[in-house]
Amino acid sequence: MALFNAVTGEPDQAGPSVASPSDGGGKTSPSSKEKTTPAADVPLVISVTGQPTNVVVRVADTRGEVLTNGTLQTGVTLKYDQAPLQVVATNGGSLKVVIYGEVQPQKPAGQRGQWFVKAKS
């Protein structure tokens, strides 16, 4: 999908930002187009801290657009700049989930995890 958008020139605004594990702990330096956003203003950040797990992130509206649907590998961090969002992980214990700067309670290893990110009013 990313290659398709690169070829067609369509902006990838709906998808998450990705930070690789080798870039200094998941932090990326902003490009000339990006502004640094305080953590409390970022609706959702997902980090895979345990075993790889299947994750589905969708916009929680009438269309239900799927932003992420696949297996995320250990060390991957995804950042979402929109809300409301619905998140489901096959192994919730493998994820560190931060919603508007607040770390969510760890789910039990091996159990399904679900989170809901409300839109800020």
Side-chain angles (χ1 to χ4, degrees):
M1 182 75 170
L3 181 57
F4 172 79
N5 286 340
V7 173
T8 63
E10 293 178 22
D12 188 18
Q13 295 174 343
S17 301
V18 179
S20 68
S22 61
D23 64 3
K27 297 180 182 177
T28 59
S29 58
S31 71
S32 59
K33 293 182 184 178
E34 294 181 64
K35 292 187 276 185
T36 303
T37 306
D41 291 338
V42 177
L44 175 65
V45 178
I46 298 172
S47 300
V48 184
T49 58
Q51 295 179 347
T53 187
N54 189 55
V55 176
V56 177
V57 179
R58 72 176 61 227
V59 179
D61 63 8
T62 56
R63 291 184 343 162
E65 178 184 1
V66 176
L67 304 179
T68 301
N69 184 6
T71 302
L72 301 183
Q73 299 300 315
T74 304
V76 169
T77 296
L78 300 178
K79 180 176 113 176
Y80 298 84
D81 294 318
Q82 65 186 83
L85 297 171
Q86 182 179 22
V87 182
V88 178
T90 303
N91 182 358
S94 286
L95 299 182
K96 175 183 175 186
V97 177
V98 181
I99 298 175
Y100 291 113
E102 186 176 322
V103 177
Q104 300 302 296
Q106 185 75 30
K107 302 290 184 183
Q111 291 187 12
R112 176 183 166 119
Q114 296 184 75
W115 298 267
F116 184 78
V117 182
K118 295 180 182 179
K120 267 193 168 178
S121 41

